[in-house]
Amino acid sequence: MDIREKLKDSILFFDGAMGTMLQERGLKRGEVPETYNIIYPQIVKEIHQKYIEAGTDIITTNTFGANELKLKDTSYSVEEIIDAAVKNAKEVAGNKYVALDMGPIGQMMEPMGTLKFERAYDIFKRQVIAGTKAGCDLILIETISDLYEMKAAVLAAKENSNLPIFATMTFEEDGRTFTGTDPISMVVFLEGIGVDVLGMNCSLGPNESKHIVTKILDYASIPVMIQPNAGLPKIVDGNTVYDVTPEEFGTTIEELQSLGVRVFGGCCGTNDNFIREVVNRLKDKDSAKIENKEFTAVTSATKNVIIDEVVIIGERINPTGKKKFKEALRNKDIDYILKEAILQKEKGAHVLDVNVGLPEIDEISLLRDVTKEVQSIVDLPLQIDSTDPVAIEAAIRGYNGKAIINSVNGKESVMKDIFPIVKKYGACVVGLTLDEDGIPSKAEDRVKIAEKIIKRAKEYGIDKKHILIDCLVLTASAQQEEVLETIKAVKMVKEKFNVRTTLGVSNVSFGLPNRRLLNKTFLSMALASGLDAPIINPKDDDILETVYAYKVLANEDRDAKVYIDKFKHVKNVKQDVKTSDLTLQEIIIKGLKAEAKDKTIELLKEKSALKIVNEDLIPALDIVGNRFEEGSVFLPQLIISAETVKVAFEVIKEKIKKEEEQISKGKLILATVQGDIHDIGKNIVKVILENYGFEVIDLGKDVDPMKIVEVAKDENIKLIGLSALMTTTVKSMEETIRLLRENEVGCKVFVGGAVLNEEYAQMIKADFYAKDAKVAVEIANKVLN
């Protein structure tokens, strides 16, 4: 029977120590125990036989240190030692299972030491391949104190065999391993990465292990094992001795079994008498039922974060909209990035988002390197943020612990790329509620996408407790009516699926003044609706205070020790507008849509439609545009003025139809490039251009480059505007321009978007860079008129 089947409803017994048994049979100080597999096979087999007679279910090969570093001074290869060890065990095993034993390599891993992760992986890989080829039934990775080394060993086992994996770490009396890993972090990591059994061994006796095992059982949803020493070691007459008797050992083990431990064995100082005592006490007992622990958690090597109350994810390691950060990435100025990490931790972040996406850098290597560097100085868990699956896997492979992957979404192709990585490395993942059709405007449709993500994840073996759903924040300046849909969606997702939720909060205030006020107001609304992990700037005191205040009101911060009320009141200024005295220009500047229609009708009695466009509408937009450039008005005011012009323009168009007057100032294409579904900026530019009298062919978002080429040719277009919000889609923008040139479309191209600047525009060979809608109008005037 496969041992995985037996684990479902049985108590299993490992053997005891091998090293101390060999010492009793003549192993001298300085000898390599694993060479006994070849030199003295009968001694090794005799030890195995004693454990079998004691009642063990699993015997462990004499290969604890059989790696290429520890064997380098012997005349035997790793393969020779392991092959002989497995043969020795098999010859006496009968119907017992044989476990390939793999202990620590014996060198410190980076950043504490010099042993690199991939080098450690290769060392373990060689052992795994040899043991699998020799015919062992399972792999035991034991006595590990470094979570990073454990990861190298587990990945080597998973990627080079299909054998069950039992993994145990060794803890000190303070409840942490030598390198600082605590029991919960170990459980979060090992269960995530997919071992079959986890637990602890060595260092402590059964009594000293109880408080650690109890903590492990509180959080583990898979079988737990323990292989303690025969007490704490003491030096007597120059020899190491252990002071716990088999009876005392068995009594404590029986107690641990009643708490829920399923797999037992012994480590240093134990022998067949200890195992016999344990087997006799437990062989007729029923195994404890294992309950699934419903909690969402991430961890670094030494710090875990359980998302059962509001968790702050720091957003500052991200180049979007940060000139200095971009320069730091281009110059590989890691210190600048590390300072951001430290500051965010000091301000109260629990998890740090890491995004280094810039089109002109090697994201794969930089994301991997930055992740390692941040982990070397900050102990917070990280969120790996990229749209490139290759970059994500490179970073998550080298990550020490269990991270969050940001992100997957409802697109089939993206789920197919991302979910295998999430499963393989045991990560949590952010699920964005968008799909091939973009971001739904209604909450109900976003909930449907969330459901699809959760169901598809389950098909990959990913439980919903490892998923954080992001219902996506839209900016109030351009999609105001959809802001509350996000809040509604968060509440529905929580109620329907009981999963954790996250949101990039500050997106809501883009383009608006006093962003802090909007951000913290929106954050309050979202937290009250069930937001668990806001992605925010922890350096913003206002937003942090909102979190602290919420924690008090939600009874999360019971003593209210961290709560400081810094609420500020903003004085509202009431405007007294006497519209009857206003000109059409003034009406447009103030954005009084209701007045625009009547005033335009009134003006049409005095002058022609084209004259109104040239003397009233366009000058008014110029004034608002100039004020926008100066920073005295903001994006919503610009849009409101444009919408007011639209009202006036509709009246004028009706008049024109009757007069058959042609006032089009020229035709152009606008498109958000392939791979990008953020079209807020493009839509703003469209409104402004149309109200300046240009005819806009809007190709929408996520547009195939060839479609742009074809439409441009068919319509004889002389000007094309391309937009992109994400750094990763600037490459798509470059590809579109390249295709336009190759296909000899005789047009000019201007580009814009949050991640663009003059330098990028030149780099991707665009003709113009439009930093805003006003500049887009100037470009259109220059090219088309």
Side-chain angles (χ1 to χ4, degrees), residues 323-481:
K323 187 177 179 182
K324 287 184 179 178
F325 199 102
K326 289 177 182 176
E327 283 302 314
L329 288 178
R330 290 191 193 102
N331 299 327
K332 296 187 176 179
D333 181 2
I334 301 294
D335 285 347
Y336 180 90
I337 299 169
L338 297 184
K339 286 174 187 171
E340 281 288 346
I342 293 168
L343 274 174
Q344 289 185 90
K345 180 190 174 184
E346 290 176 347
K347 294 297 288 186
H350 304 106
V351 177
L352 300 182
D353 186 271
V354 178
N355 182 321
V356 297
L358 279 182
E360 69 270 34
I361 65 165
D362 178 1
E363 186 185 8
I364 296 170
S365 64
L366 192 60
L367 185 59
R368 180 196 60 210
D369 294 345
V370 169
T371 299
K372 282 187 178 181
E373 292 289 344
V374 171
Q375 281 211 293
S376 70
I377 62 156
V378 173
D379 63 354
L380 301 182
L382 303 183
Q383 177 167 279
I384 310 298
D385 187 353
S386 173
T387 57
D388 183 347
V390 178
I392 288 174
E393 179 156 18
I396 204 91
R397 187 176 183 85
Y399 177 83
N400 191 358
K402 175 177 181 173
I404 303 172
I405 290 175
N406 187 11
S407 57
V408 73
N409 59 47
K411 291 183 178 179
E412 292 294 339
S413 59
V414 175
M415 290 190 284
K416 186 178 177 183
D417 286 341
I418 299 298
F419 279 144
I421 300 172
V422 174
K423 178 62 179 174
K424 179 177 180 181
Y425 296 97
C428 283
V429 63
V430 173
L432 307 179
T433 54
L434 64 88
D435 60 13
E436 289 82 358
D437 298 321
I439 304 171
S441 59
K442 294 297 180 186
E444 290 79 4
D445 295 325
R446 295 187 210 178
V447 173
K448 287 179 183 175
I449 295 175
E451 185 170 24
K452 181 169 74 169
I453 291 171
I454 293 167
K455 285 184 176 178
R456 194 55 50 83
K458 191 174 182 181
E459 293 172 9
Y460 284 86
I462 302 166
D463 191 276
K464 67 179 183 179
K465 70 182 179 182
H466 304 303
I467 300 172
L468 293 87
I469 292 295
D470 185 341
C471 294
L472 294 169
V473 178
L474 302 176
T475 177
S477 60
Q479 291 166 279
Q480 188 174 2
E481 67 276 13

Side-chain angles (χ1 to χ4, degrees), residues 70-341:
K70 289 184 177 178
L71 295 178
K72 66 181 175 60
D73 294 327
T74 73
S75 56
Y76 305 108
S77 68
V78 170
E79 291 74 15
E80 288 170 334
I81 291 289
I82 290 180
D83 186 65
V86 175
K87 281 181 180 173
N88 290 337
K90 286 278 185 183
E91 283 182 23
V92 297
N95 62 351
K96 307 298 182 184
Y97 299 100
V98 173
L100 172 70
D101 191 22
M102 296 201 306
I105 291 171
Q107 290 189 5
M108 295 289 284
M109 292 189 63
E110 61 179 359
M112 294 177 286
T114 57
L115 184 62
K116 293 188 178 300
F117 179 81
E118 291 302 336
R119 172 68 174 132
Y121 171 89
D122 288 339
I123 290 170
F124 286 122
K125 174 183 175 181
R126 192 173 170 188
Q127 294 172 259
V128 169
I129 291 174
T132 306
K133 185 178 178 183
C136 61
D137 302 305
L138 62 128
I139 295 171
L140 172 65
I141 305 166
E142 58 145 317
T143 323
I144 304 291
S145 62
D146 185 345
L147 202 68
Y148 209 25
E149 186 173 10
M150 177 62 88
K151 180 170 185 174
V154 173
L155 281 179
K158 288 183 68 173
E159 293 177 351
N160 298 284
S161 82
N162 294 316
L163 295 175
I165 302 170
F166 290 50
T168 59
M169 299 190 76
T170 182
F171 292 86
E172 309 289 329
E173 284 190 277
D174 65 0
R176 288 184 178 265
T177 68
F178 172 68
T179 58
T181 299
D182 62 276
I184 300 174
S185 296
M186 180 195 73
V187 172
V188 169
F189 167 72
L190 284 177
E191 204 168 294
I193 203 166
V195 302
D196 298 279
V197 178
L198 59 82
M200 64 175 293
N201 78 299
C202 204
S203 293
L204 304 174
N207 267 318
E208 297 79 19
S209 302
K210 276 196 291 189
H211 70 289
I212 299 169
V213 173
T214 302
K215 188 72 77 177
I216 293 172
L217 288 166
D218 286 343
Y219 290 90
S221 299
I222 61 175
V224 171
M225 69 181 288
I226 181 169
Q227 290 183 299
N229 289 345
L232 295 175
K234 296 176 182 175
I235 304 297
V236 177
D237 297 330
N239 297 313
T240 303
V241 298
Y242 296 86
D243 59 0
V244 171
T245 67
E247 291 75 21
E248 292 168 335
F249 189 88
T251 299
T252 309
I253 289 292
E254 198 168 11
E255 186 181 343
L256 294 174
Q257 188 276 330
S258 69
L259 295 175
V261 179
R262 297 277 292 271
V263 182
F264 302 91
C267 203
C268 300
T270 62
N271 56 34
D272 52 311
N273 292 326
F274 285 77
I275 301 305
R276 185 175 293 104
E277 182 70 26
V278 171
V279 172
N280 288 338
R281 286 173 180 263
L282 303 182
K283 64 183 179 183
D284 296 325
K285 291 185 180 292
D286 295 328
S287 59
K289 184 180 178 183
I290 300 172
E291 295 181 357
N292 187 34
K293 311 300 190 302
E294 291 291 345
F295 69 97
T296 302
V298 291
T299 188
S300 64
T302 57
K303 189 177 186 63
N304 61 77
V305 174
I306 298 174
I307 309 176
D308 57 357
E309 59 180 49
V310 177
V311 165
I312 296 169
I313 300 177
E315 66 176 12
R316 298 295 298 170
I317 303 179
N318 187 320
T320 302
K322 302 184 187 79
K323 187 177 179 182
K324 287 184 179 178
F325 199 102
K326 289 177 182 176
E327 283 302 314
L329 288 178
R330 290 191 193 102
N331 299 327
K332 296 187 176 179
D333 181 2
I334 301 294
D335 285 347
Y336 180 90
I337 299 169
L338 297 184
K339 286 174 187 171
E340 281 288 346

Side-chain angles (χ1 to χ4, degrees), residues 669 708-709 712-713 716-721 737 740-741 744-750 767-768 783:
I669 287 175
I708 297 172
V709 171
K713 280 188 169 181
N716 192 25
I717 294 297
K718 299 302 179 188
L719 180 63
I720 295 175
I737 294 171
L740 285 166
R741 306 298 187 227
E744 298 180 344
V745 180
C747 67
K748 299 291 185 183
V749 179
F750 69 94
D767 297 295
F768 305 99
V783 175

